[in-house]
Amino acid sequence: ITHCVFTSNVASEFAGGALGVDFTSSPSLNNNTFLTNSAPFGGAIFASGSKGLLFSNSKFLGNLATTTSATGGGVLALQGDANNTTFVNCVFSGNKANNYSGVLKGEGSTRFVNCSLTGNSANYGGITILFSGESVAFENSILWGNSATSSGADVFVNSQTATASYSLFNPTQSSGSLTGSNNLSSDPLFTDADGADNTYGSADDDLTLQSSSPAINQASTSVTDYPSTDLLGKTRYGSAPDLGAYE
């Protein structure tokens, strides 16, 4: 699925505001935008039993998981032994869950490579809360300005496995530790993260980096699934590529 815009779709009864994926398929999604979709579970996407889902060069803006009694996943809800899910060169801004997991309701392992995540929110786990058997890894990524009304503004680790390498985040913004190396913890200096309307999760959010950003030239080309171009198709260059979705 490529070069599509999914906007303001609603699944009122169960899951996957814009898209549902079952165990018989493992699609690749490239250069798509998911904007202000909603559902009780998986505000934008729901996938059950899918192995190796790949999302690349895509934006997830202002999607909402509406359930107040379980783990919602503002962007994506996984279940049914789904595993090996990967996001590459993706932006997540202003996504929300009314209860758990503003971005991801996980299942198995999930990786974020050269992704930028900001302004996402939930009651627990502004990005995600992990449960038994789940893991999340951030590589060459930026986690900044996410929030939780109760705990885990970035990640609520919940005694599971969360790692970050060659990434930028504030360790105090997770409940539990993100283990790993070569990480930074200062303001990434996005150009205008909440856009001209001063609202996270709308089309004008600008997560490119200012020229003085500490995230410039700090990524590693050795991470698995490292992209040689950024979200806009610009070649990554310099002594090292930049963190996040934009070069």
Side-chain angles (χ1 to χ4, degrees):
I1 301 172
T2 184
H3 293 94
C4 294
V5 177
F6 301 84
T7 183
S8 302
N9 299 287
V10 177
S12 59
E13 293 297 325
F14 182 53
L19 186 65
V21 182
D22 72 12
F23 69 94
T24 63
S25 59
S26 295
S28 294
L29 293 92
N30 181 49
N31 279 295
N32 298 299
T33 297
F34 292 82
L35 175 66
T36 61
N37 303 286
S38 66
F41 304 92
I45 304 163
F46 173 76
S48 179
S50 298
K51 306 294 194 293
L53 277 174
L54 174 63
F55 302 89
S56 58
N57 305 304
S58 295
K59 295 181 180 181
F60 301 89
L61 308 170
N63 300 287
L64 172 66
T66 59
T67 182
T68 59
S69 61
T71 304
V75 170
L76 173 65
L78 299 168
Q79 74 168 27
D81 296 322
N83 198 14
N84 297 325
T85 302
T86 307
F87 294 93
V88 180
N89 273 349
C90 290
V91 161
F92 302 83
S93 177
N95 302 288
K96 180 180 179 180
N98 284 337
N99 195 25
Y100 296 159
S101 298
V103 171
L104 169 72
K105 176 197 177 295
E107 179 88 359
S109 66
T110 303
R111 299 174 59 240
F112 295 83
V113 181
N114 280 96
C115 290
S116 301
L117 304 96
T118 192
N120 304 289
S121 63
N123 186 15
Y124 290 90
I127 296 173
T128 190
I129 181 172
L130 300 175
F131 291 97
S132 179
E134 298 171 7
S135 67
V136 65
F138 301 93
E139 297 156 292
N140 290 353
S141 291
I142 301 173
L143 297 63
W144 198 262
N146 304 290
S147 64
T149 53
S150 293
S151 187
D154 283 338
V155 179
F156 195 109
V157 179
N158 201 24
S159 300
Q160 303 306 308
T161 301
T163 63
S165 298
Y166 296 97
S167 291
L168 187 155
F169 60 95
N170 182 344
T172 68
Q173 297 302 295
S174 289
S175 176
S177 297
L178 275 65
T179 61
S181 60
N182 300 295
N183 295 309
L184 304 173
S185 60
S186 54
D187 190 331
L189 299 178
F190 291 126
T191 298
D192 191 357
D194 59 3
D197 62 2
N198 297 316
T199 301
Y200 288 105
S202 53
D204 65 355
D205 295 356
D206 187 353
L207 273 62
T208 60
L209 302 173
Q210 299 179 39
S211 60
S212 57
S213 170
I216 291 175
N217 295 346
Q218 296 299 315
S220 170
T221 61
S222 64
V223 303
T224 302
D225 299 311
Y226 162 74
S228 59
T229 57
D230 73 356
L231 189 154
L232 298 175
K234 181 180 179 181
T235 299
R236 293 187 180 272
Y237 63 91
S239 57
D242 298 343
L243 301 180
Y246 297 104
E247 183 69 14

PDB file of all heavy atoms in Angstrom, residues 109-137:
ATOM      1  N   SER A 109       7.662  -8.516  19.122  1.00  0.00           N
ATOM      2  CA  SER A 109       8.684  -7.464  19.063  1.00  0.00           C
ATOM      3  C   SER A 109       8.312  -6.391  18.040  1.00  0.00           C
ATOM      4  O   SER A 109       7.779  -6.692  16.973  1.00  0.00           O
ATOM      5  CB  SER A 109      10.045  -8.065  18.704  1.00  0.00           C
ATOM      6  OG  SER A 109      10.037  -8.595  17.397  1.00  0.00           O
ATOM      7  N   THR A 110       8.606  -5.143  18.395  1.00  0.00           N
ATOM      8  CA  THR A 110       8.384  -4.010  17.498  1.00  0.00           C
ATOM      9  C   THR A 110       9.624  -3.125  17.519  1.00  0.00           C
ATOM     10  O   THR A 110      10.196  -2.868  18.577  1.00  0.00           O
ATOM     11  CB  THR A 110       7.160  -3.182  17.929  1.00  0.00           C
ATOM     12  OG1 THR A 110       6.005  -4.020  17.971  1.00  0.00           O
ATOM     13  CG2 THR A 110       6.917  -2.033  16.975  1.00  0.00           C
ATOM     14  N   ARG A 111      10.031  -2.654  16.324  1.00  0.00           N
ATOM     15  CA  ARG A 111      11.211  -1.794  16.204  1.00  0.00           C
ATOM     16  C   ARG A 111      10.842  -0.487  15.511  1.00  0.00           C
ATOM     17  O   ARG A 111      10.055  -0.477  14.569  1.00  0.00           O
ATOM     18  CB  ARG A 111      12.330  -2.486  15.411  1.00  0.00           C
ATOM     19  CG  ARG A 111      12.840  -3.768  16.053  1.00  0.00           C
ATOM     20  CD  ARG A 111      13.843  -4.475  15.149  1.00  0.00           C
ATOM     21  NE  ARG A 111      14.992  -3.640  14.855  1.00  0.00           N
ATOM     22  CZ  ARG A 111      15.352  -3.258  13.623  1.00  0.00           C
ATOM     23  NH1 ARG A 111      14.641  -3.638  12.573  1.00  0.00           N
ATOM     24  NH2 ARG A 111      16.418  -2.502  13.448  1.00  0.00           N
ATOM     25  N   PHE A 112      11.450   0.589  15.980  1.00  0.00           N
ATOM     26  CA  PHE A 112      11.349   1.905  15.365  1.00  0.00           C
ATOM     27  C   PHE A 112      12.745   2.316  14.917  1.00  0.00           C
ATOM     28  O   PHE A 112      13.652   2.452  15.748  1.00  0.00           O
ATOM     29  CB  PHE A 112      10.802   2.931  16.354  1.00  0.00           C
ATOM     30  CG  PHE A 112       9.379   2.693  16.800  1.00  0.00           C
ATOM     31  CD1 PHE A 112       9.101   1.799  17.827  1.00  0.00           C
ATOM     32  CD2 PHE A 112       8.329   3.375  16.203  1.00  0.00           C
ATOM     33  CE1 PHE A 112       7.796   1.585  18.263  1.00  0.00           C
ATOM     34  CE2 PHE A 112       7.020   3.164  16.625  1.00  0.00           C
ATOM     35  CZ  PHE A 112       6.754   2.273  17.648  1.00  0.00           C
ATOM     36  N   VAL A 113      12.940   2.506  13.607  1.00  0.00           N
ATOM     37  CA  VAL A 113      14.248   2.871  13.048  1.00  0.00           C
ATOM     38  C   VAL A 113      14.127   4.226  12.354  1.00  0.00           C
ATOM     39  O   VAL A 113      13.288   4.402  11.469  1.00  0.00           O
ATOM     40  CB  VAL A 113      14.739   1.810  12.041  1.00  0.00           C
ATOM     41  CG1 VAL A 113      16.111   2.186  11.488  1.00  0.00           C
ATOM     42  CG2 VAL A 113      14.786   0.433  12.695  1.00  0.00           C
ATOM     43  N   ASN A 114      14.963   5.164  12.759  1.00  0.00           N
ATOM     44  CA  ASN A 114      14.914   6.523  12.210  1.00  0.00           C
ATOM     45  C   ASN A 114      13.493   7.080  12.225  1.00  0.00           C
ATOM     46  O   ASN A 114      12.971   7.570  11.219  1.00  0.00           O
ATOM     47  CB  ASN A 114      15.497   6.586  10.802  1.00  0.00           C
ATOM     48  CG  ASN A 114      17.019   6.622  10.806  1.00  0.00           C
ATOM     49  OD1 ASN A 114      17.660   5.581  10.655  1.00  0.00           O
ATOM     50  ND2 ASN A 114      17.587   7.807  11.000  1.00  0.00           N
ATOM     51  N   CYS A 115      12.871   7.009  13.382  1.00  0.00           N
ATOM     52  CA  CYS A 115      11.527   7.546  13.565  1.00  0.00           C
ATOM     53  C   CYS A 115      11.560   8.736  14.519  1.00  0.00           C
ATOM     54  O   CYS A 115      12.469   8.871  15.355  1.00  0.00           O
ATOM     55  CB  CYS A 115      10.589   6.474  14.119  1.00  0.00           C
ATOM     56  SG  CYS A 115      10.200   5.151  12.932  1.00  0.00           S
ATOM     57  N   SER A 116      10.569   9.610  14.387  1.00  0.00           N
ATOM     58  CA  SER A 116      10.411  10.766  15.263  1.00  0.00           C
ATOM     59  C   SER A 116       9.043  10.679  15.929  1.00  0.00           C
ATOM     60  O   SER A 116       8.017  10.588  15.238  1.00  0.00           O
ATOM     61  CB  SER A 116      10.517  12.065  14.468  1.00  0.00           C
ATOM     62  OG  SER A 116      11.764  12.165  13.802  1.00  0.00           O
ATOM     63  N   LEU A 117       9.032  10.713  17.267  1.00  0.00           N
ATOM     64  CA  LEU A 117       7.790  10.540  18.019  1.00  0.00           C
ATOM     65  C   LEU A 117       7.648  11.683  19.015  1.00  0.00           C
ATOM     66  O   LEU A 117       8.481  11.824  19.933  1.00  0.00           O
ATOM     67  CB  LEU A 117       7.773   9.206  18.760  1.00  0.00           C
ATOM     68  CG  LEU A 117       7.989   7.939  17.918  1.00  0.00           C
ATOM     69  CD1 LEU A 117       9.447   7.501  17.937  1.00  0.00           C
ATOM     70  CD2 LEU A 117       7.123   6.791  18.425  1.00  0.00           C
ATOM     71  N   THR A 118       6.611  12.494  18.859  1.00  0.00           N
ATOM     72  CA  THR A 118       6.415  13.631  19.755  1.00  0.00           C
ATOM     73  C   THR A 118       4.936  13.950  19.905  1.00  0.00           C
ATOM     74  O   THR A 118       4.134  13.684  19.010  1.00  0.00           O
ATOM     75  CB  THR A 118       7.172  14.874  19.236  1.00  0.00           C
ATOM     76  OG1 THR A 118       7.198  15.882  20.242  1.00  0.00           O
ATOM     77  CG2 THR A 118       6.527  15.433  17.983  1.00  0.00           C
ATOM     78  N   GLY A 119       4.574  14.496  21.063  1.00  0.00           N
ATOM     79  CA  GLY A 119       3.212  14.936  21.290  1.00  0.00           C
ATOM     80  C   GLY A 119       2.179  13.835  21.380  1.00  0.00           C
ATOM     81  O   GLY A 119       0.979  14.103  21.302  1.00  0.00           O
ATOM     82  N   ASN A 120       2.628  12.595  21.554  1.00  0.00           N
ATOM     83  CA  ASN A 120       1.702  11.469  21.718  1.00  0.00           C
ATOM     84  C   ASN A 120       1.340  11.321  23.200  1.00  0.00           C
ATOM     85  O   ASN A 120       2.150  11.622  24.074  1.00  0.00           O
ATOM     86  CB  ASN A 120       2.346  10.197  21.178  1.00  0.00           C
ATOM     87  CG  ASN A 120       2.773  10.358  19.739  1.00  0.00           C
ATOM     88  OD1 ASN A 120       1.950  10.433  18.836  1.00  0.00           O
ATOM     89  ND2 ASN A 120       4.090  10.446  19.507  1.00  0.00           N
ATOM     90  N   SER A 121       0.150  10.815  23.480  1.00  0.00           N
ATOM     91  CA  SER A 121      -0.288  10.810  24.873  1.00  0.00           C
ATOM     92  C   SER A 121      -1.226   9.655  25.192  1.00  0.00           C
ATOM     93  O   SER A 121      -1.868   9.081  24.308  1.00  0.00           O
ATOM     94  CB  SER A 121      -0.986  12.136  25.200  1.00  0.00           C
ATOM     95  OG  SER A 121      -2.150  12.305  24.414  1.00  0.00           O
ATOM     96  N   ALA A 122      -1.281   9.347  26.478  1.00  0.00           N
ATOM     97  CA  ALA A 122      -2.169   8.295  26.996  1.00  0.00           C
ATOM     98  C   ALA A 122      -2.268   8.456  28.500  1.00  0.00           C
ATOM     99  O   ALA A 122      -1.590   9.304  29.105  1.00  0.00           O
ATOM    100  CB  ALA A 122      -1.625   6.914  26.640  1.00  0.00           C
ATOM    101  N   ASN A 123      -3.082   7.638  29.113  1.00  0.00           N
ATOM    102  CA  ASN A 123      -3.113   7.579  30.569  1.00  0.00           C
ATOM    103  C   ASN A 123      -1.839   6.912  31.076  1.00  0.00           C
ATOM    104  O   ASN A 123      -1.142   7.444  31.935  1.00  0.00           O
ATOM    105  CB  ASN A 123      -4.363   6.816  31.020  1.00  0.00           C
ATOM    106  CG  ASN A 123      -4.539   6.839  32.526  1.00  0.00           C
ATOM    107  OD1 ASN A 123      -3.919   7.614  33.234  1.00  0.00           O
ATOM    108  ND2 ASN A 123      -5.393   5.950  33.022  1.00  0.00           N
ATOM    109  N   TYR A 124      -1.501   5.747  30.509  1.00  0.00           N
ATOM    110  CA  TYR A 124      -0.235   5.065  30.767  1.00  0.00           C
ATOM    111  C   TYR A 124       0.454   4.797  29.426  1.00  0.00           C
ATOM    112  O   TYR A 124      -0.151   4.227  28.525  1.00  0.00           O
ATOM    113  CB  TYR A 124      -0.440   3.733  31.480  1.00  0.00           C
ATOM    114  CG  TYR A 124      -0.905   3.835  32.913  1.00  0.00           C
ATOM    115  CD1 TYR A 124      -2.263   3.869  33.209  1.00  0.00           C
ATOM    116  CD2 TYR A 124       0.008   3.890  33.959  1.00  0.00           C
ATOM    117  CE1 TYR A 124      -2.704   3.957  34.517  1.00  0.00           C
ATOM    118  CE2 TYR A 124      -0.424   3.984  35.273  1.00  0.00           C
ATOM    119  CZ  TYR A 124      -1.779   4.019  35.549  1.00  0.00           C
ATOM    120  OH  TYR A 124      -2.210   4.105  36.838  1.00  0.00           O
ATOM    121  N   GLY A 125       1.716   5.188  29.314  1.00  0.00           N
ATOM    122  CA  GLY A 125       2.485   4.903  28.105  1.00  0.00           C
ATOM    123  C   GLY A 125       2.139   5.821  26.944  1.00  0.00           C
ATOM    124  O   GLY A 125       1.344   5.454  26.085  1.00  0.00           O
ATOM    125  N   GLY A 126       2.723   7.030  26.942  1.00  0.00           N
ATOM    126  CA  GLY A 126       2.454   7.971  25.866  1.00  0.00           C
ATOM    127  C   GLY A 126       2.768   7.393  24.498  1.00  0.00           C
ATOM    128  O   GLY A 126       2.096   7.699  23.515  1.00  0.00           O
ATOM    129  N   ILE A 127       3.801   6.546  24.443  1.00  0.00           N
ATOM    130  CA  ILE A 127       4.099   5.785  23.230  1.00  0.00           C
ATOM    131  C   ILE A 127       3.547   4.375  23.358  1.00  0.00           C
ATOM    132  O   ILE A 127       2.781   3.922  22.526  1.00  0.00           O
ATOM    133  CB  ILE A 127       5.609   5.765  22.940  1.00  0.00           C
ATOM    134  CG1 ILE A 127       6.113   7.177  22.638  1.00  0.00           C
ATOM    135  CG2 ILE A 127       5.924   4.825  21.764  1.00  0.00           C
ATOM    136  CD1 ILE A 127       7.618   7.289  22.497  1.00  0.00           C
ATOM    137  N   THR A 128       3.960   3.678  24.418  1.00  0.00           N
ATOM    138  CA  THR A 128       3.463   2.310  24.595  1.00  0.00           C
ATOM    139  C   THR A 128       3.629   1.861  26.037  1.00  0.00           C
ATOM    140  O   THR A 128       4.497   2.369  26.767  1.00  0.00           O
ATOM    141  CB  THR A 128       4.203   1.331  23.658  1.00  0.00           C
ATOM    142  OG1 THR A 128       3.550   0.058  23.679  1.00  0.00           O
ATOM    143  CG2 THR A 128       5.656   1.153  24.049  1.00  0.00           C
ATOM    144  N   ILE A 129       2.798   0.934  26.453  1.00  0.00           N
ATOM    145  CA  ILE A 129       3.003   0.168  27.668  1.00  0.00           C
ATOM    146  C   ILE A 129       3.181  -1.287  27.250  1.00  0.00           C
ATOM    147  O   ILE A 129       2.470  -1.782  26.365  1.00  0.00           O
ATOM    148  CB  ILE A 129       1.832   0.325  28.673  1.00  0.00           C
ATOM    149  CG1 ILE A 129       2.092  -0.480  29.948  1.00  0.00           C
ATOM    150  CG2 ILE A 129       0.513  -0.057  28.050  1.00  0.00           C
ATOM    151  CD1 ILE A 129       1.068  -0.219  31.058  1.00  0.00           C
ATOM    152  N   LEU A 130       4.166  -1.936  27.838  1.00  0.00           N
ATOM    153  CA  LEU A 130       4.490  -3.312  27.460  1.00  0.00           C
ATOM    154  C   LEU A 130       3.863  -4.302  28.440  1.00  0.00           C
ATOM    155  O   LEU A 130       3.829  -4.059  29.647  1.00  0.00           O
ATOM    156  CB  LEU A 130       6.002  -3.505  27.434  1.00  0.00           C
ATOM    157  CG  LEU A 130       6.784  -2.614  26.467  1.00  0.00           C
ATOM    158  CD1 LEU A 130       8.283  -2.836  26.637  1.00  0.00           C
ATOM    159  CD2 LEU A 130       6.355  -2.862  25.027  1.00  0.00           C
ATOM    160  N   PHE A 131       3.419  -5.418  27.880  1.00  0.00           N
ATOM    161  CA  PHE A 131       2.911  -6.510  28.697  1.00  0.00           C
ATOM    162  C   PHE A 131       3.700  -7.775  28.388  1.00  0.00           C
ATOM    163  O   PHE A 131       4.612  -7.767  27.562  1.00  0.00           O
ATOM    164  CB  PHE A 131       1.407  -6.692  28.468  1.00  0.00           C
ATOM    165  CG  PHE A 131       0.577  -5.559  29.005  1.00  0.00           C
ATOM    166  CD1 PHE A 131       0.152  -4.537  28.160  1.00  0.00           C
ATOM    167  CD2 PHE A 131       0.259  -5.484  30.353  1.00  0.00           C
ATOM    168  CE1 PHE A 131      -0.601  -3.473  28.652  1.00  0.00           C
ATOM    169  CE2 PHE A 131      -0.485  -4.427  30.857  1.00  0.00           C
ATOM    170  CZ  PHE A 131      -0.913  -3.419  30.003  1.00  0.00           C
ATOM    171  N   SER A 132       3.363  -8.870  29.031  1.00  0.00           N
ATOM    172  CA  SER A 132       4.153 -10.098  28.979  1.00  0.00           C
ATOM    173  C   SER A 132       4.466 -10.522  27.543  1.00  0.00           C
ATOM    174  O   SER A 132       3.570 -10.618  26.698  1.00  0.00           O
ATOM    175  CB  SER A 132       3.396 -11.223  29.685  1.00  0.00           C
ATOM    176  OG  SER A 132       4.130 -12.431  29.635  1.00  0.00           O
ATOM    177  N   GLY A 133       5.748 -10.760  27.283  1.00  0.00           N
ATOM    178  CA  GLY A 133       6.200 -11.241  25.987  1.00  0.00           C
ATOM    179  C   GLY A 133       6.409 -10.168  24.941  1.00  0.00           C
ATOM    180  O   GLY A 133       6.775 -10.477  23.801  1.00  0.00           O
ATOM    181  N   GLU A 134       6.196  -8.913  25.305  1.00  0.00           N
ATOM    182  CA  GLU A 134       6.346  -7.823  24.340  1.00  0.00           C
ATOM    183  C   GLU A 134       7.689  -7.126  24.514  1.00  0.00           C
ATOM    184  O   GLU A 134       8.221  -7.022  25.623  1.00  0.00           O
ATOM    185  CB  GLU A 134       5.218  -6.803  24.515  1.00  0.00           C
ATOM    186  CG  GLU A 134       3.839  -7.379  24.257  1.00  0.00           C
ATOM    187  CD  GLU A 134       2.726  -6.423  24.631  1.00  0.00           C
ATOM    188  OE1 GLU A 134       3.006  -5.257  24.972  1.00  0.00           O
ATOM    189  OE2 GLU A 134       1.549  -6.862  24.599  1.00  0.00           O
ATOM    190  N   SER A 135       8.227  -6.622  23.415  1.00  0.00           N
ATOM    191  CA  SER A 135       9.458  -5.833  23.473  1.00  0.00           C
ATOM    192  C   SER A 135       9.377  -4.713  22.449  1.00  0.00           C
ATOM    193  O   SER A 135       8.681  -4.812  21.440  1.00  0.00           O
ATOM    194  CB  SER A 135      10.691  -6.702  23.203  1.00  0.00           C
ATOM    195  OG  SER A 135      10.704  -7.166  21.868  1.00  0.00           O
ATOM    196  N   VAL A 136      10.113  -3.641  22.731  1.00  0.00           N
ATOM    197  CA  VAL A 136      10.178  -2.518  21.802  1.00  0.00           C
ATOM    198  C   VAL A 136      11.621  -2.034  21.734  1.00  0.00           C
ATOM    199  O   VAL A 136      12.340  -2.031  22.739  1.00  0.00           O
ATOM    200  CB  VAL A 136       9.215  -1.384  22.232  1.00  0.00           C
ATOM    201  CG1 VAL A 136       9.629  -0.775  23.562  1.00  0.00           C
ATOM    202  CG2 VAL A 136       9.113  -0.328  21.159  1.00  0.00           C
ATOM    203  N   ALA A 137      12.064  -1.651  20.527  1.00  0.00           N
ATOM    204  CA  ALA A 137      13.427  -1.152  20.326  1.00  0.00           C
ATOM    205  C   ALA A 137      13.362   0.126  19.493  1.00  0.00           C
ATOM    206  O   ALA A 137      12.623   0.204  18.508  1.00  0.00           O
ATOM    207  CB  ALA A 137      14.286  -2.204  19.626  1.00  0.00           C
TER     208      ALA A 137
END
